[in-house]
């Protein structure tokens, strides 16, 4: 089985992705992660204004039989939350890299981006 | 091979099974002319009001859409679903047993006497010096035991912060330790499925309040190094806690007290055959060594000058149930133990272990770990264990516990108990066999012969509807 | 002897042993000699008749008293049909509904039980049971710590609270480091002015009961709700399903959690054996302890029931579960639901009204006896009341025991009497006996 791993994203070993576009940075979980979890039924996310610390859990994603923490790839401040997920957590399964995004954040330290995996390194990890 | 068609009541013109009571006979009454002023009462109340014949039919139909130990084999691993003898129900229903908990001790000498006898019996069975009957279930017993360990350490001026638990342990162990305010340190199992002594030595410290252990463990394996484990824990100043979920493996063969355990709980709905009632009630008595007896819950029963009485142990942890625990369940356990005695109890474990070992030789699935006792964990291999379970439902047997412990891939945790005959074990084996030979597509569509076919769990969790009011507001 | 519930013949045992490849069952036990048990428990086997006789002999030593006892555990008549239906082995001998397709009957019964509690409280979510009222209160206290809008660490309870309930609460409060403090009662119910003085930002949960442990119906529940709200605390109300059939709906007075003992329906007196109600608002759904039954659909598109939101529970979330509870009181919940349905709303309201009038009537009769003032507290009573006696209460209770009656002594000169399932003759007898022993 092969999983979608977009080339333009950065990744954490714990299966979160991060996309930087001009002003905003988006964070979510990968195709591999959503497949491992199975049907997502619930997601718990912080609110706009909350602080993120790189490597620490910021939320929880649940399927029927499993609960997983979601870890912050970088430190920063939450600027937006994908509220569509509260009513349609299945977006995480259906479209993990686009419609299923979780947070937008303002980075505290751009240097932290260098610590993340690139697509090739992440592909190696999940294969 | 057996096939099974569970009774099922369906309304052909509708999308439901047996209608809810509220759909059959709801009635709203206004609260008027009550003996209380209006501002202290509600306006109205709407509840079902079936006539007694309709009520009897409703619940009889519901019972027919339910599977119990008397329906067929129930080899649910770690749950010890053994036959529940009828006569224990008669004893628990005796009018003299139905007394109020606030009666003075001297007017309930029978109740206290029975409790005292049961405390004594359980102490002998577990090799423990004192036993409390107060915890109302196994998990409450765990909480009691860990609170006792906590109080003991505190009493010795010893502030400890961690509880060690093997990765294959029951989920309640982890939750209990956290509830009591401890950090949980999870111990990885060794390659043989047992406690990894090196991992234990690495994890143990002066922060260790207790190690919680099930023996035989959830794979059915006896912890052969139990003496060494006990020494390691005790040398570090910690206590050893015995989770009694698997005690039905050992009656008459070994006792937790002799293995070095300081505190244990008994699951009476497992080992001592009280009915589980579709989720409860249980009872979770806790046994302790002499050193821990002063910390037992308040009150405790003792005999003095020929009379039974309650007293508060010197350093009691206080209470874990509002009164004295699940009394009717304790009466049933007392009746079962009294009926069987030494030899009967030992034979129950012997036959439980024989049944598990026999069944394992008759099924087409591999059992990676052994030698096991009253239960074994087979692997469904390439099949999905949850689908295997659904497939078995169509053969008139309850399936094993599935997908746990995680130390075995696609686990089928199977505990047939002593109550199954050779014939019913063969029936069970045939069900395993049939499902083993089934293709994935058929299994994914199973079950088809039960009252309801496969139920959509995702839908239930994504939009929870937890009452008939929620169904109404949905439509 | 062998276990009477292990059906093996010797020949079958031999067949099985040879299939396994051992000569005797003992060879299957992998127990090191050093910890093997080779002695006897010393528990004689009695057989079924003998065991029944043993138990009957023991229990026969309980004194035969007519009980006028309450204070949290009540006797109400349970119709035979409840015993009969609940004893069906498909219910009684079943397990937790981990395979819902084969357990629709029990799941539906629990769904109906949850729904009845939703109607009685006006709140949104009822779980399918805790052990008893005391442990349900303990769970409410720990729930308060998982609710984001609550920041305090104090649980406020009335100073008239059953000792047992408070002691259980303190054990539950111990782990998360909460402190349990009491607020004053006046005339048998909440002293609202004193509560207003006691409550502050550090309070996480305020607990009150109606009826109170002294049988008084609380009259300022809505004010307690407002006080709790103003201090970002949860309001937990203790009651029972019979009282709730008549009294104000908890949702209308601002209750966030309702706990109580529902075994007053379906169970009768059972030495404190209970059924913990736990009902709360939808916003706390993810924090609810214990099992929840929800509606879904099966493969054929029919409505079907299943345990749901199990990720809250210990078998999945382990040390981060909302509670360690696993086995609960499901069968008692089944009985309570059957009893409620048998009564219907009319019957349930009638029963609740009887609880008011019977307590009133008996108190009025006792008040006529010289040396007895009843009831001590003003306001309205439910099931029970407190009376003052000029003579020492413990002595009166002892003398009444000798006459065959059981009542509570709750202080040097205070007795408490509960009127639930007693006949007119029993009431006459008690009144006569009290007149006699207080002479």
């Amino acid at each position: 089985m092969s999983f979608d791993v977009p080339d333009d994203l950065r990744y954490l070993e714990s299966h979160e992705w991060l996309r930087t576009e001009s002003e905003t940075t988006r964070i979510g979980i990968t195709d591999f992660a959503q497949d491992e979890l199975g049907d997502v039924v619930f997601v718990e996310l912080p609110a706009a204004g909350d602080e993120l610390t790189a490597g620490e859990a910021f939320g929880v994603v649940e399927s029927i039989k499993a609960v997983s923490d979601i870890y912050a790839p970088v430190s920063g401040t939450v600027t937006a939350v994908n509220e569509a997920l509260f009513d349609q957590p299945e977006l995480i399964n259906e479209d993990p890299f686009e419609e299923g995004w979780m947070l937008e954040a303002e980075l505290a330290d751009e240097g932290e981006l260098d610590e993340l995996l690139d697509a090739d390194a992440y592909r190696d990890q999940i294969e | 091979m057996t096939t099974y068609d569970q009774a099922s009541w369906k309304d052909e013109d509708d999308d439901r099974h047996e209608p809810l009571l509220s759909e059959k006979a709801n009635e709203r009454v206004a609260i008027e002319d009550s003996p209380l002023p209006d501002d202290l009462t509600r306006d109205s109340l709407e509840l079902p009001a079936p006539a007694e014949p309709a009520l009897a039919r409703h619940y009889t139909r519901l019972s027919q859409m339910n599977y119990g130990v008397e329906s067929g084999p129930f080899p649910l691993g770690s749950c010890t679903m053994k036959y529940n003898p009828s006569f224990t129900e008669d004893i628990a229903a005796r009018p003299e047993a139905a007394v109020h908990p606030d009666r003075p001790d001297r007017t309930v000498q029978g109740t206290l006497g029975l409790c005292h006898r049961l405390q004594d019996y359980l102490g002998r069975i577990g090799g423990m010096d004192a036993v409390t009957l107060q915890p109302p279930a196994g998990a409450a017993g765990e909480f009691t035991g860990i609170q006792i360990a906590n109080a003991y350490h505190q009493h010795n001026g010893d502030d400890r912060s961690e509880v060690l638990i093997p990765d294959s342990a029951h989920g309640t162990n982890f939750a209990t330790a956290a509830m009591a305010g401890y950090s949980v340190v999870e111990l990885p199992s060794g390659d043989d499925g047992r406690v990894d002594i090196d991992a234990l030595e690495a994890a143990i410290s002066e922060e260790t309040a207790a190690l919680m252990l099930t023996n035989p463990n959830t794979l059915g394996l006896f912890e052969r190094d139990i003496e060494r484990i006990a020494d390691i824990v005790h040398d570090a100043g910690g206590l050893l806690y015995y989770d009694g979920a698997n005690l039905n493996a050992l009656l008459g063969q070994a006792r937790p007290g002799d293995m070095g355990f300081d505190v244990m709980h008994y699951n009476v709905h497992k080992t001592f055959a009280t009915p589980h009632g579709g989720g409860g009630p249980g009872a979770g008595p806790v046994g302790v060594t002499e050193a821990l007896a002063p910390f037992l819950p308040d009150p405790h029963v003792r005999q003095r000058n020929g009379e039974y009485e309650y007293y508060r142990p010197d350093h009691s942890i206080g209470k874990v149930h509002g009164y004295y625990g699940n009394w009717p369940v304790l009466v049933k356990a007392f009746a079962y133990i009294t009926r069987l005695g030494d030899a009967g109890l030992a034979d129950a474990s012997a036959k439980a272990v024989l049944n598990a070992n026999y069944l394992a030789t008759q099924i087409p699935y591999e059992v990676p770990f052994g030698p096991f006792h009253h239960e074994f964990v087979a692997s469904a291999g390439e099949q999905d264990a949850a689908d295997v379970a659904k497939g078995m439902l169509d053969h008139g047997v309850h399936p094993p516990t599935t997908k746990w412990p995680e130390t075995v891939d696609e686990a089928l945790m199977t505990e047939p108990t002593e109550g199954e005959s050779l014939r019913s074990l063969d029936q069970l084996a045939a069900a395993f066999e049939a499902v083993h030979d089934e293709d994935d597509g058929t299994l994914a569509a199973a079950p088809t012969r039960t009252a309801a076919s496969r139920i959509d769990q995702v839908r239930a969790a994504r939009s929870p509807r937890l009452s008939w009011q929620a169904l109404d507001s949905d439509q | 002897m062998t276990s009477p519930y292990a059906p093996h013949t010797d020949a079958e045992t031999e067949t099985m042993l040879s299939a396994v490849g051992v000569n005797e069952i003992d060879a299957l036990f992998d127990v090191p000699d050093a910890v093997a048990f080779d002695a006897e428990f010393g528990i004689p086997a009695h057989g079924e008749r003998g065991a029944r006789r043993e138990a009957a002999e023991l229990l026969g030593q309980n004194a035969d008293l007519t009980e006028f006892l309450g204070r949290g555990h009540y006797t109400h008549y349970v119709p035979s049909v409840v015993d009969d239906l609940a004893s069906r082995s498909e219910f009684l001998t079943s397990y937790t509904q981990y395979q819902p397709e084969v357990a629709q009957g029990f799941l539906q019964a629990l769904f109906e039980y949850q729904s009845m509690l939703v109607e009685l409280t006006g709140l949104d979510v009822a779980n399918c049971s805790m052990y008893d009222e005391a442990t349900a209160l303990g769970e409410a206290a720990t729930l308060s710590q998982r609710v984001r809008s609550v920041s305090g660490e104090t649980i406020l309870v009335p100073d008239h609270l059953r000792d047992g309930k408070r002691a259980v609460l303190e054990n539950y409060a111990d782990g998360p480091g909460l402190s349990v403090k009491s607020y004053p009662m006046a005339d048998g119910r909440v002293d609202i002015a004193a509560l207003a003085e006691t409550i502050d930002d550090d309070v996480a949960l305020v607990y009150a009961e109606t009826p109170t442990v002294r049988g008084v119906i609380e009259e300022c529940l809505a004010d307690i709700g407002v006080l709790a709200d103003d201090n970002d605390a949860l309001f937990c109300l203790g009651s029972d399903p019979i009282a709730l059939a008549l009294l104000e709906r908890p949702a209308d007075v601002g209750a966030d959690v309702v706990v109580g003992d529902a075994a007053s329906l379906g169970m009768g007196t059972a030495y404190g054996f209970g059924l913990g109600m736990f009902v709360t608002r939808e916003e706390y759904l993810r924090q609810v302890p214990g099992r929840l039954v929800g509606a879904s659909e099966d493969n054929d598109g029919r409505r079907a029931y299943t345990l749901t939101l199990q990720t809250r529970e210990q078998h999945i979330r382990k040390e981060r579960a909302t509670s360690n509870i696993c086995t609960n009181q499901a069968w008692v919940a089944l009985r309570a639901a059957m009893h409620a349905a048998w009564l219907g709303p009319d019957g349930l309201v009638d029963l609740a009204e009887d609880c008011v009038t019977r307590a009133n009537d008996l108190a009025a009769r006792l008040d006529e006896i010289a040396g007895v003032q009843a009831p001590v507290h003003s306001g309205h009573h439910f099931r029970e009341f407190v009376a003052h006696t000029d003579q020492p209460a413990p002595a009166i209770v002892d003398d009444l025991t000798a006459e065959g009656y059981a009542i509570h002594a709750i202080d040097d000169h205070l007795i408490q009497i509960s009127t639930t399932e007693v006949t007119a003759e029993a009431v006459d007898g008690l009144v006569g006996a009290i007149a006699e022993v207080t002479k």
Side-chain angles (χ1 to χ4, degrees):
Chain A
M1 192 165 190
S2 83
F3 296 101
D4 201 8
V5 181
D7 286 329
D8 57 331
L9 307 187
R10 297 277 183 162
Y11 298 89
L12 258 190
E13 282 174 8
S14 50
H15 311 292
E16 291 80 7
W17 57 258
L18 176 144
R19 174 187 287 127
T20 329
E21 274 173 355
S22 60
E23 295 298 290
T24 63
T25 297
R26 274 193 175 179
I27 296 168
I29 65 169
T30 65
D31 188 29
F32 176 86
Q34 70 77 20
D35 185 75
E36 285 280 295
L37 271 166
D39 293 313
V40 173
V41 298
F42 179 67
V43 58
E44 189 180 305
L45 298 173
D50 287 357
E51 297 293 318
L52 299 177
T53 308
E56 287 190 9
F58 66 76
V60 167
V61 59
E62 294 187 10
S63 63
I64 297 297
K65 298 276 177 185
V67 183
S68 291
D69 284 327
I70 323 163
Y71 294 93
V74 290
S75 305
T77 308
V78 178
T79 53
V81 173
N82 185 0
E83 293 186 1
L85 298 181
F86 297 134
D87 286 331
Q88 294 172 278
E90 59 270 29
L91 292 175
I92 294 169
N93 295 115
E94 291 163 3
D95 193 7
F97 297 107
E98 298 292 341
E99 296 282 304
W101 67 277
M102 291 178 169
L103 297 183
E104 287 180 356
E106 205 175 274
L107 301 193
D109 173 10
E110 302 228 344
E112 284 177 353
L113 292 175
D114 299 336
E115 320 249 317
L116 300 176
L117 304 177
D118 62 18
D120 283 337
Y122 181 66
R123 250 178 236 124
D124 284 347
Q125 185 200 321
I126 61 174
E127 264 158 22
Chain B
M1 193 182 59
T2 310
T3 54
Y4 172 62
D5 290 290
Q6 189 175 33
S8 169
W9 302 88
K10 295 185 174 79
D11 187 338
E12 283 303 326
D13 303 326
D14 209 340
D15 61 351
R16 63 194 180 196
H17 295 274
E18 186 65 10
L20 289 160
L21 271 174
S22 58
E23 292 164 333
K24 289 177 173 176
N26 244 26
E27 223 173 77
R28 178 173 290 279
V29 300
I31 312 290
E32 289 165 337
D33 307 320
S34 97
L36 294 175
D38 282 351
D39 61 345
L40 291 183
T41 62
R42 59 192 296 146
D43 298 332
S44 66
L45 180 68
E46 183 176 3
L47 285 173
E52 188 171 314
L55 178 87
R57 189 164 293 165
H58 180 74
Y59 283 107
T60 298
R61 288 184 171 194
L62 293 191
S63 77
Q64 290 169 342
M65 292 160 62
N66 216 59
Y67 186 100
V69 168
E70 290 187 13
S71 310
F74 214 125
L76 198 60
S78 242
C79 301
T80 316
M81 289 296 283
K82 58 166 80 175
Y83 174 70
N84 313 127
S86 299
F87 83 100
T88 65
E89 297 298 318
D90 291 342
I91 293 177
R94 292 191 71 87
E96 317 89 272
V99 294
H100 192 282
D102 285 351
R103 294 216 340 201
D105 294 356
R106 69 194 151 74
T107 70
V108 285
Q109 285 295 297
T111 294
L112 269 59
L114 190 148
C115 289
H116 194 260
R117 279 268 288 280
L118 183 57
Q119 288 173 190
D120 176 55
Y121 284 173
L122 293 175
R124 290 162 185 262
I125 290 167
M128 290 286 157
D129 296 318
V131 176
T132 174
L133 306 177
Q134 196 178 107
E142 291 177 24
F143 182 60
T144 306
I146 293 300
Q147 286 291 82
I148 288 172
N150 185 14
Y152 168 81
H153 291 308
Q154 299 275 343
H155 181 75
N156 295 333
D158 196 357
D159 209 10
R160 292 172 177 250
S161 61
E162 294 174 353
V163 170
L164 309 189
I165 304 170
D167 56 4
S168 64
H170 301 104
T172 47
N173 291 181
F174 301 88
T176 296
M179 235 172 109
Y182 285 105
S183 307
V184 171
V185 179
E186 189 169 310
L187 293 179
S189 298
D191 292 341
D192 65 351
R194 296 177 179 80
V195 170
D196 179 336
I197 296 288
D198 292 339
L200 172 60
E201 280 180 327
I204 199 121
S205 74
E206 59 193 22
E207 289 300 324
T208 306
L211 166 64
M212 298 179 83
L213 212 55
T214 311
N215 192 20
N217 68 16
T218 54
L219 296 169
L221 314 177
F222 196 89
E223 297 288 353
R224 294 178 186 132
D225 294 326
I226 187 62
E227 285 183 294
R228 179 127 177 256
I229 292 168
D231 285 345
I232 293 169
V233 173
H234 291 150
D235 288 349
L239 296 172
L240 197 54
Y241 183 94
Y242 183 86
D243 177 330
N246 290 347
L247 188 62
N248 203 47
L250 292 184
L251 297 175
Q253 294 283 339
R255 306 191 304 174
D258 302 332
M259 299 175 209
F261 286 93
D262 303 287
V263 49
M264 69 175 289
H265 79 263
Y266 306 77
N267 291 87
V268 308
H269 71 78
K270 298 180 181 178
T271 316
F272 304 115
T274 67
H276 197 247
V286 166
V288 294
T289 57
E290 204 172 349
L292 297 180
F295 301 92
L296 285 173
D298 172 36
H300 194 66
V301 180
R302 70 181 168 199
Q303 191 175 21
R304 255 196 176 178
N305 307 324
E307 283 214 1
Y308 299 102
E309 64 176 20
Y310 281 121
Y311 75 103
R312 182 183 172 95
D314 287 345
H315 309 298
S316 174
I317 60 161
K319 290 179 70 65
V320 293
H321 183 271
Y323 293 96
Y324 307 109
N326 280 350
W327 160 250
V329 181
L330 296 166
V331 175
K332 294 176 198 178
F334 170 83
Y336 177 80
I337 295 170
T338 308
R339 162 89 174 87
L340 266 64
D342 274 81
L345 292 169
D347 187 61
S349 281
K351 297 288 170 48
V353 172
L354 175 63
N355 278 3
N357 278 271
Y358 173 75
L359 181 62
T361 64
Q362 304 297 305
I363 65 168
Y365 295 102
E366 187 208 351
V367 181
F369 294 104
F372 47 83
H373 292 80
H374 68 307
E375 70 183 2
F376 60 84
V377 182
S379 172
E382 295 299 306
Q383 288 179 306
D384 182 309
D387 286 346
V388 168
K390 298 300 181 198
M392 289 179 74
L393 292 172
D394 282 335
H395 294 284
V397 301
H398 197 283
T401 299
T402 58
K403 304 226 176 201
W404 185 79
E406 285 154 5
T407 39
V408 172
D409 277 344
E410 299 300 327
L412 299 168
M413 185 194 222
T414 313
E415 182 184 6
T417 83
E418 69 273 18
E420 300 308 325
S421 65
L422 175 58
R423 189 184 142 82
S424 67
L425 291 170
D426 287 341
Q427 180 196 352
L428 197 44
F432 275 103
E433 186 85 45
V435 171
H436 180 260
D437 296 342
E438 221 44 281
D439 63 88
D440 288 352
T442 308
L443 281 189
T448 58
R449 312 175 81 114
T450 44
S453 55
R454 183 81 68 104
I455 294 169
D456 186 345
Q457 298 292 332
V458 173
R459 181 188 168 98
R462 278 192 183 152
S463 39
R465 294 177 299 163
L466 308 175
S467 62
W468 62 52
Q469 294 86 347
L471 293 179
D472 289 348
S473 65
D474 234 35
Q475 282 158 5
Chain C
M1 91 165 224
T2 55
S3 164
Y5 313 115
H8 310 59
T9 65
D10 290 347
E12 286 169 347
T13 300
E14 284 309 316
T15 304
M16 293 166 73
L17 285 171
S18 69
V20 177
V22 295
N23 293 325
E24 50 170 9
I25 297 180
D26 275 357
L28 298 173
F29 286 91
D30 181 33
V31 177
D33 288 345
V35 296
F37 178 65
D38 50 13
E40 300 276 306
F41 298 140
I43 303 172
H46 287 76
E48 180 171 311
R49 273 208 289 181
R52 286 181 70 141
R53 204 159 42 226
E54 277 290 301
E57 228 164 77
L58 269 172
L59 293 172
Q61 290 162 33
N62 282 345
D64 183 13
L65 299 179
T66 303
E67 296 175 342
F68 287 82
L69 300 170
R71 291 180 64 82
H73 189 71
Y74 303 102
T75 314
H76 289 284
Y77 174 72
V78 179
S80 297
V81 73
V82 170
D83 283 327
D84 188 42
L85 294 170
S87 303
R88 291 184 64 91
S89 74
E90 299 92 332
F91 286 137
L92 185 64
T93 75
S94 65
Y95 199 71
T96 306
Q97 299 75 22
Y98 292 136
Q99 297 293 343
E101 293 84 2
V102 81
Q104 282 300 291
F106 217 122
L107 285 163
Q108 181 171 335
L110 291 173
F111 184 84
E112 291 172 346
Y113 166 78
Q114 291 176 180
S115 304
M116 289 175 182
L117 295 188
V118 166
E119 168 65 16
L120 285 164
T121 58
L123 297 175
D124 315 300
V125 178
N127 78 7
C128 68
S129 71
M130 316 268 29
Y131 309 126
D132 70 346
E133 180 173 21
T135 55
L137 172 58
E139 295 280 9
T142 58
L143 176 138
S144 74
Q145 297 304 294
R146 301 189 295 268
V147 170
R148 283 185 186 178
S149 58
V150 171
S151 59
E153 296 188 334
T154 298
I155 308 299
L156 266 190
V157 300
D159 64 1
H160 290 175
L161 184 68
R162 255 196 91 90
D163 292 345
K165 217 178 276 179
R166 175 153 181 161
V168 171
L169 173 61
E170 284 181 353
N171 256 318
Y172 276 74
D174 189 39
L178 306 176
S179 61
V180 180
K181 291 182 183 155
S182 59
Y183 61 84
M185 304 279 276
D187 197 17
R189 55 181 164 274
V190 174
D191 180 342
I192 192 73
L195 175 60
E197 297 232 330
T198 312
I199 196 168
D200 60 26
D201 286 352
D202 192 49
V203 172
L205 179 133
V206 183
Y207 178 64
E209 299 182 330
T210 190
T212 67
V213 67
R214 292 186 165 198
V216 179
I217 294 169
E218 195 56 69
E219 295 184 13
C220 60
L221 292 173
D223 300 332
I224 301 172
V226 170
L227 277 178
D229 232 28
D230 289 349
N231 290 276
D232 294 332
L234 299 185
F235 174 23
C236 177
L237 180 64
S239 192
D240 71 83
I242 297 172
L244 290 175
L246 180 62
L247 304 184
E248 296 170 276
R249 283 199 328 164
D252 297 336
V253 297
D256 299 295
V257 186
V258 175
V259 299
D261 203 317
S264 51
L265 283 177
M267 213 43 236
T269 306
Y271 206 54
F273 182 57
L275 167 58
M277 288 199 287
F278 194 98
V279 199
T280 188
R281 297 178 183 280
E282 180 140 32
E283 56 191 294
Y284 310 134
L285 173 61
R286 302 279 163 178
Q287 306 306 334
V288 169
R291 298 191 182 118
L292 294 167
V293 178
S296 184
E297 273 182 10
D298 71 6
N299 257 352
D300 300 312
R302 288 179 188 273
R303 189 169 72 206
Y305 307 93
T306 180
L307 295 177
T308 192
L309 304 176
Q310 293 186 62
T311 47
R312 298 166 299 107
E313 294 184 65
Q314 46 76 27
H315 61 287
I316 295 178
R317 219 185 197 99
K318 297 167 83 173
E319 66 268 27
R320 290 161 69 184
T322 52
S323 167
N324 74 339
I325 192 168
C326 182
T327 290
N328 56 22
Q329 303 285 107
W331 185 70
V332 194
L334 171 74
R335 297 182 62 106
M338 286 175 174
H339 193 177
W342 184 80
L343 287 165
D346 250 328
L348 201 53
V349 172
D350 281 352
L351 175 58
E353 290 179 348
D354 282 352
C355 287
V356 175
T357 50
R358 282 186 198 153
N360 278 347
D361 293 350
L362 180 54
R365 288 180 67 182
L366 293 185
D367 197 46
E368 289 170 11
I369 299 171
V372 180
Q373 297 88 50
V376 164
H377 300 302
S378 64
H380 303 277
H381 290 77
F382 198 87
R383 290 195 187 98
E384 54 196 326
F385 59 89
V386 173
H388 182 274
T389 58
D390 293 349
Q391 292 179 32
I396 290 174
V397 168
D398 280 350
D399 292 347
L400 284 175
T401 304
E403 300 291 323
Y405 297 98
I407 66 167
H408 303 273
I410 62 167
D411 209 336
D412 293 347
H413 291 275
L414 293 180
I415 57 174
Q416 186 164 337
I417 296 175
S418 176
T419 59
T420 48
E421 232 27 77
V422 283
T423 61
E425 282 164 335
V427 171
D428 290 345
L430 177 74
V431 172
I434 291 180
E436 196 60 37
V437 303
T438 53
K439 261 183 192 163

